Amino acid sequence: MPVRRAKRSARTHTARTGTARPAFTGGINIALKLAPHRFDATLAFYRDVLGLPVLKNSPTHAVIEHGPNRLHLDRVEHQTHAEVWLEVTTPDAPAAARALARAGVPRRDTPGARVEPLPPGFRGFWIENPAGVVTLVAEPGQ
């Protein structure tokens, strides 16, 4: 007989400790941080070889329609290898920050660990997962 699992609330999940945890959803943005010598060939691959639509294109940044996602190609000076950066959304960024801090998740938008500045008033922040992948945590629509 299959085991029935309790449904989780779309807003929070309560752990055994009784502490409410904000809900997280995978965001639509994925970024590839590319070495300058890889940028043009990578853009050509997605645009010309795969035929995916280019939504934005400049000498240092391109946005590719990647199914329901947006693949951002970023030319980064002094980058030696490609990095993948992800996004997750949450309805309450301050509550998410507190929950992630309790879980020991390192922030990447603090002095000395900053990866990329966020605009003033942005309701979100950068973290790093255990594999070292930079992830933007943001409220939807940012």
Side-chain angles (χ1 to χ4, degrees):
M1 172 181 265
V3 177
R4 297 189 71 161
R5 297 177 188 237
K7 292 183 180 180
R8 291 185 183 188
S9 164
R11 301 293 269 172
T12 61
H13 167 74
T14 303
R16 277 185 270 165
T17 62
T19 304
R21 180 175 68 195
F24 294 95
T25 304
I28 67 167
N29 295 303
I30 301 168
L32 286 179
K33 303 297 183 172
L34 302 166
H37 70 281
R38 300 280 188 195
F39 181 81
D40 292 333
T42 303
L43 173 58
F45 171 77
Y46 287 103
R47 181 190 59 216
D48 304 336
V49 176
L50 297 182
L52 298 178
V54 177
L55 305 174
K56 179 182 177 183
N57 191 5
S58 78
T60 61
H61 180 76
V63 180
I64 309 294
E65 186 176 308
H66 196 269
N69 297 315
R70 299 293 176 259
L71 179 61
H72 296 257
L73 306 180
D74 294 326
R75 178 186 176 126
V76 180
E77 295 302 319
H78 309 294
Q79 188 81 12
T80 59
H81 62 280
E83 290 183 19
V84 175
W85 291 16
L86 302 173
E87 175 191 46
V88 295
T89 61
T90 184
D92 186 344
R98 290 188 299 274
L100 292 168
R102 282 191 303 272
V105 175
R107 291 277 295 256
R108 291 297 308 269
D109 57 349
T110 58
R114 187 173 308 266
V115 293
E116 192 173 286
L118 295 169
F122 188 87
R123 292 190 51 87
F125 51 92
W126 296 107
I127 61 169
E128 184 174 283
N129 77 14
V133 175
V134 174
T135 302
L136 176 65
V137 179
E139 292 180 8
Q142 294 288 310

